Amino acid sequence: MIAKTASRQEPRRLRTRAALLEAGAKLLAQRPIDAIAVNDIVDAAGVAKGSFFNHFQDKDAFAAEVSAEIRAHVEARVTAVNANVTDPAVRMARAMCVFVQFALSDAKRAHIMLRGREWAADGEHPINAGLRADIDQGVAAGQFAGRAKTAGILYVIGLCQVLMMAVLSRRELAECQRLTAELLALTFTGLGLAHAEAIIENAIDEIVVGA
């Protein structure tokens, strides 16, 4: 009986969580979490206040979850555009271009994602597994320098964040293309890969311009 009751409650619990996250994304697009009360979130979601604390420890945990949900959405796009790509440098360039394209097409959610701290500062976070695998593969293949094995993940994440912030502050496509090309060139230089111009140009043309 208890198991059946829990089973019936699960869909409702998931709907409540989804409603909270959706409401949070809309509110966080307007102002930071410090300026949002729990009452604002539950009112926007149309759920009881107690429901919030059934799903999230506090507002910071809630904001981090909203950010992670958006990051997961972008990562799914990265996985899709790299589905048939095996070269780690090409994959990395295309991935960073996906983040640029996201910033251009959905500025509000990009701002929310950039407020996330846990995934951004933790190279071992599961959401960074794809980048970690590409760096490991690039080092093993001799494309990237050995130092990339330890510092490469944080290096690339940091540059990607800076690039997104620059894109969000400019928005003109031509300027964003130029910045993307320059930051990608610096990324690959730092990783130990020279002469990546063709890789960079192809990624920008297909994903940033062609989107």
Side-chain angles (χ1 to χ4, degrees):
M1 178 64 72
I2 294 175
K4 289 183 179 179
T5 300
S7 178
R8 287 196 298 268
Q9 290 177 343
E10 182 65 11
R12 183 172 62 184
R13 190 187 74 84
L14 293 175
R15 286 195 300 270
T16 299
R17 181 181 177 84
L20 287 166
L21 290 171
E22 183 179 355
K26 291 177 180 177
L27 291 169
L28 285 166
Q30 301 166 8
R31 55 191 191 271
I33 191 63
D34 290 343
I36 301 172
V38 171
N39 283 341
D40 296 332
I41 299 169
V42 296
D43 288 347
V47 300
K49 185 173 183 177
S51 299
F52 179 90
F53 295 103
N54 288 335
H55 294 273
F56 308 100
Q57 181 177 353
D58 52 32
K59 288 197 304 178
D60 286 339
F62 174 72
E65 185 68 19
V66 174
S67 174
E69 288 266 322
I70 296 171
R71 171 71 191 272
H73 166 78
V74 182
E75 284 294 332
R77 170 66 177 153
V78 169
T79 299
V81 302
N82 281 334
N84 299 310
V85 181
T86 57
D87 186 301
V90 176
R91 290 174 58 85
M92 190 176 298
R94 290 168 66 84
M96 289 183 73
C97 283
V98 168
F99 281 90
V100 170
Q101 194 278 328
F102 178 66
L104 285 168
S105 64
D106 198 340
K108 289 184 177 180
R109 290 207 298 164
H111 275 295
I112 296 169
M113 189 184 74
L114 285 171
R115 295 192 187 113
R117 296 183 182 90
E118 181 183 359
W119 62 262
D122 184 3
E124 297 303 315
H125 195 288
I127 207 163
N128 294 318
L131 172 60
R132 186 164 58 250
D134 286 339
I135 288 177
D136 288 348
Q137 183 183 346
V139 171
Q143 282 183 302
F144 303 151
R147 62 180 178 272
K149 186 84 172 178
T150 53
I153 295 175
L154 294 181
Y155 173 68
V156 174
I157 291 172
L159 285 177
C160 190
Q161 284 190 298
V162 168
L163 178 56
M164 287 185 69
M165 287 187 287
V167 168
L168 287 168
S169 70
R170 288 168 174 81
R171 308 289 295 163
E172 298 86 0
L173 181 58
E175 177 70 0
C176 292
Q177 288 176 244
R178 182 187 66 78
L179 284 169
T180 302
E182 291 178 357
L183 260 294
L184 279 171
L186 287 173
T187 300
F188 287 126
T189 298
L191 291 173
L193 177 64
H195 310 299
E197 292 83 359
I199 290 173
I200 294 168
E201 182 179 350
N202 290 338
I204 293 172
D205 285 347
E206 182 173 342
I207 297 171
V208 179
V209 180

